[in-house]
């Protein structure tokens, strides 16, 4: 441990741990604390784990007379539902900790912003794995979603989408001062992507300006990746590109979240 010498006694005193350097043990401690808190919040757990499954179940029987319609949009929604739920829960949970003063107290300790953001991402990412696995298993093996490729590739994209939703939720929570404002970000951040991702009509059929906008939105690549699994037996180069774009956007947004995280609650 590095030390500094005090002027009064001439003795070496411990130097505070740098808070700007990523530390794995601090990150794991943060993730453990978040998971421990979520364990005592059954409503949040239910929203994260059950809502995507319930929505897929309802969707399957809405199109009960047209199973091919479910096949055509079910895989896309398998990625979209986790993104939306993780965005909502993460943004509200993070904002609640900030407005209650918890984040300010944590950041007054030897805990860097990168540690905090990574810890939250790790905790919610663990829940995203459970959420995505249950939703994918339900859609493929119980609801009969017909996919040409491997269901594991569907699970991969669903997980990346959930992580992207987590990253977006952490990012926008820095700009909201109440839970109501956090929810208001959903129309601004999620709805445009939902309309332009190719779920309702192929992106090539859109106005050229809207198609150009859709080309830079991560949800578009999530839907494209799901469609690649529906149509091809093997992993294609397009699928790899789509998965990398979604993963890269998640990492970029997490970095922006760490940069915009405020140490004080205004």
């Amino acid at each position: 441990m590095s030390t500094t010498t005090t002027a009064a006694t001439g003795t070496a005193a411990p130097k505070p741990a740098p808070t700007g350097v990523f530390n794995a043990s601090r990150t794991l401690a943060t993730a453990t604390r978040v998971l421990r808190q979520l364990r005592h919040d059954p409503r949040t757990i239910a929203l994260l784990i059950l809502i995507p499954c319930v929505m897929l179940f309802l969707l399957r029987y809405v199109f009960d007379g047209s199973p091919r319609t479910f096949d055509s949009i079910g895989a896309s929604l398998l990625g979209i539902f986790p993104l939306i739920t993780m965005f909502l829960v993460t943004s509200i949970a993070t904002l609640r900790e900030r407005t209650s003063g918890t984040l300010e107290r944590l950041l007054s300790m030897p805990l860097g912003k990168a540690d905090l953001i990574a810890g939250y991402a790790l905790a919610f990412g663990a829940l995203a794995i459970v959420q995505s696995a249950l939703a994918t298993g339900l859609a493929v093996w119980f609801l009969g979603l017909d996919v040409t490729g491997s269901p594991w590739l569907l699970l991969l994209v669903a997980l990346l989408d959930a992580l992207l939703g987590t990253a977006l939720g952490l990012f926008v929570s820095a700009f909201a001062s109440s839970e109501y404002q956090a929810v208001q970000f959903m129309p601004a951040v999620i709805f445009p992507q939902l309309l332009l991702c190719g779920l309702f009509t192929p992106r090539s059929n859109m106005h050229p300006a809207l198609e150009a906008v859709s080309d830079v939105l991560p949800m578009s690549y999530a839907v494209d990746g799901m469609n690649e699994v529906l149509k091809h037996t093997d992993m294609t180069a397009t699928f790899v590109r789509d998965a990398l774009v979604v993963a890269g956007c998640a990492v970029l947004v997490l970095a922006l979240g760490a940069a915009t995280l405020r140490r004080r609650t205004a």
Side-chain angles (χ1 to χ4, degrees):
M1 178 183 295
S2 60
T3 59
T4 56
T5 303
T6 61
T9 63
T11 59
K15 184 179 180 179
T19 60
V21 180
F22 177 79
N23 182 279
S25 62
R26 294 196 294 260
T27 297
L28 289 174
T30 301
T32 302
R33 181 187 63 81
V34 173
L35 289 174
R36 190 180 299 117
Q37 289 180 332
L38 287 174
R39 186 181 61 183
H40 300 291
D41 190 352
R43 287 178 296 181
T44 299
I45 296 296
L47 176 62
L48 284 171
I49 303 301
L50 297 180
I51 292 301
C53 293
V54 171
M55 296 299 291
L56 285 169
F57 186 86
L58 291 175
L59 184 69
R60 168 62 183 84
Y61 291 103
V62 164
F63 296 109
D64 189 43
S66 180
R68 289 189 177 182
T69 303
F70 176 72
D71 291 338
S72 64
I73 67 174
S76 298
L77 292 177
L78 187 61
I80 292 173
F81 286 155
L83 190 155
I84 294 174
T85 55
M86 294 303 295
F87 172 84
L88 281 174
V89 171
T90 306
S91 59
I92 292 174
T94 307
L95 179 66
R96 187 178 300 167
E97 294 223 313
R98 181 163 61 82
T99 55
S100 66
T102 302
L103 288 184
E104 185 173 344
R105 291 192 297 271
L106 288 172
L107 290 173
S108 66
M109 303 166 62
L111 181 70
K113 292 182 179 182
D115 301 323
L116 188 67
I117 290 294
Y120 273 84
L122 185 61
F124 285 105
L127 292 174
I129 292 175
V130 178
Q131 179 196 70
S132 301
L134 287 176
T136 303
L138 175 71
V140 174
W141 289 294
F142 184 78
L143 299 179
L145 180 67
D146 187 15
V147 294
T148 302
S150 170
W152 294 106
L153 296 181
L154 285 182
L155 175 59
L156 173 62
V157 180
L159 176 58
L160 291 175
D161 287 346
L163 293 176
L164 176 61
T166 298
L168 289 171
L170 290 170
F171 176 63
V172 303
S173 67
F175 302 98
S177 58
S178 67
E179 294 180 15
Y180 177 69
Q181 288 186 3
V183 174
Q184 285 181 315
F185 274 104
M186 186 172 174
V189 176
I190 300 298
F191 286 178
Q193 297 193 67
L194 189 61
L195 293 174
L196 299 177
C197 68
L199 176 65
F200 302 105
T201 185
R203 292 191 291 126
S204 58
N205 293 344
M206 298 178 185
H207 188 279
L210 293 180
E211 184 181 1
V213 173
S214 72
D215 287 340
V216 299
L217 298 177
M219 192 182 290
S220 300
Y221 295 91
V223 171
D224 288 350
M226 289 295 194
N227 289 331
E228 285 293 305
V229 180
L230 285 179
K231 299 175 183 177
H232 300 89
T233 56
D234 300 321
M235 183 186 300
T236 64
T238 302
F239 174 85
V240 174
R241 181 208 64 185
D242 295 335
L244 288 176
V245 168
V246 176
C249 288
V251 173
L252 175 61
V253 175
L254 283 175
L256 292 174
T260 57
L261 184 65
R262 291 174 290 177
R263 288 183 173 273
R264 295 189 178 274
T265 57

